[in-house]
Amino acid sequence: MVDDRKEVLPLRIVAGRFINTDEKIGLAELDRITADASRAIRNQYWIWTVSFMTTAAVTAGSVLVGGALTIGGMPGADLSALIGLGGAGLMVAEGASWRVFQYGGMKARSPQDPVYADRGDKAVLNLERLFGILQLESTPRPFYYARNGARRYVDHRYFFGKLRAAHVANDNAIRSALFGPVGLWFDRELFLEADIDKLMADAKARPNRAGAPKKYDYTDAVISLIEHPEVRKIDISKNRGNQTRIVELLEDWYDSRRREAPSRTQLSSYAKQILETIAKNRSS
């Protein structure tokens, strides 16, 4: 007997429902989170890629030069061969380093702290509740579709990696950075067949309820400046430029979260209050 409450959905749709009762709002929040994850890994991934490709080029060049020297009976062939072997070994080590970065070791033994998580972000907390239940062996397994249309189920350890937000990204640009627990790159779109309401209850998820969203989130923006290094360096005795710097920091906060920022006039009012509070606190 088929359970009518079960649905087959893309995993990102499930994640959107975990985040907000309004699926569209949930998906928008999910895109913000995955964008944060993408920024968190982009630089490190490109450094790793450039290092790997440079090593591969040097290794290939050494092999070709060594082969030419051997054929020509010229000295230096042994040295080229050694450089080639060393380069091959370094490539293996570089490949392993990305797996260690993702899983905390060569094998995915336990869930890692995600690189993107702002632990005060309610959307992140709800997303992590989804990943938390997918990390269990007893949970229905997500799957991808093979070329022949057959389902290929993935192991629960796929969600142990610190880059797990990539599994629910809208495109495979960020997913292309993933290693599977066994094997190399894994950028497939995942699906899940489950009773989503039951899954949310089991995960103790508390999706945010749909409603009129706050246009400007002043409180979180201002709180983000507490103990900010740039704020701590402000010389309160010099008025010139301090207010502008606070405004810039607030604008950076909104930009980093892809949220609409208030006008500079509105931000200047808050910056003035922040500076007044800093002056009072330092004088006491």
Side-chain angles (χ1 to χ4, degrees), residues 200-214:
M200 286 194 287
D202 291 343
K204 296 181 172 57
R206 295 185 288 274
N208 294 327
R209 294 195 173 277
K214 292 186 290 184

Side-chain angles (χ1 to χ4, degrees), residues 116-268:
Y116 58 87
D118 174 357
R119 297 187 182 280
D121 189 325
K122 292 182 180 179
V124 168
L125 291 174
N126 283 319
L127 179 60
E128 281 300 297
R129 289 187 179 103
L130 170 61
F131 287 137
I133 201 165
L134 292 178
Q135 290 162 359
L136 304 176
E137 292 187 60
S138 57
T139 305
R141 298 267 55 83
F143 61 89
Y144 62 90
Y145 288 104
R147 289 185 178 181
N148 61 3
R151 293 183 181 183
R152 296 287 185 266
Y153 290 88
V154 301
D155 191 87
H156 65 288
R157 294 174 299 165
Y158 275 77
F159 305 100
F160 283 3
K162 63 180 65 176
L163 311 182
R164 52 184 172 266
H167 286 301
V168 290
N170 193 30
D171 57 56
N172 67 354
I174 180 175
R175 294 201 304 270
S176 64
L178 290 177
F179 272 5
V182 178
L184 297 177
W185 283 277
F186 181 86
D187 62 356
R188 309 295 181 87
E189 181 180 9
L190 294 177
F191 298 83
L192 184 68
E193 181 177 16
D195 179 345
I196 307 303
D197 290 335
K198 182 179 184 302
L199 198 68
M200 286 194 287
D202 291 343
K204 296 181 172 57
R206 295 185 288 274
N208 294 327
R209 294 195 173 277
K214 292 186 290 184
K215 186 174 182 181
Y216 303 125
D217 197 343
Y218 295 115
T219 304
D220 286 352
V222 172
I223 288 175
S224 72
L225 299 188
I226 296 175
E227 294 298 318
H228 192 290
E230 291 293 320
V231 174
R232 295 175 67 182
K233 290 191 298 184
I234 286 178
D235 184 350
I236 207 67
S237 65
K238 298 179 180 179
N239 294 324
R240 187 179 181 85
N242 287 345
Q243 188 167 310
T244 300
R245 185 55 187 142
I246 294 291
V247 169
E248 290 172 347
L249 291 172
L250 290 171
E251 288 178 329
D252 288 345
W253 185 89
Y254 283 101
D255 289 343
S256 68
R257 285 157 179 76
R258 294 186 175 182
R259 298 183 187 179
E260 182 183 355
S263 67
R264 288 186 72 90
T265 300
Q266 290 173 294
L267 290 179
S268 294

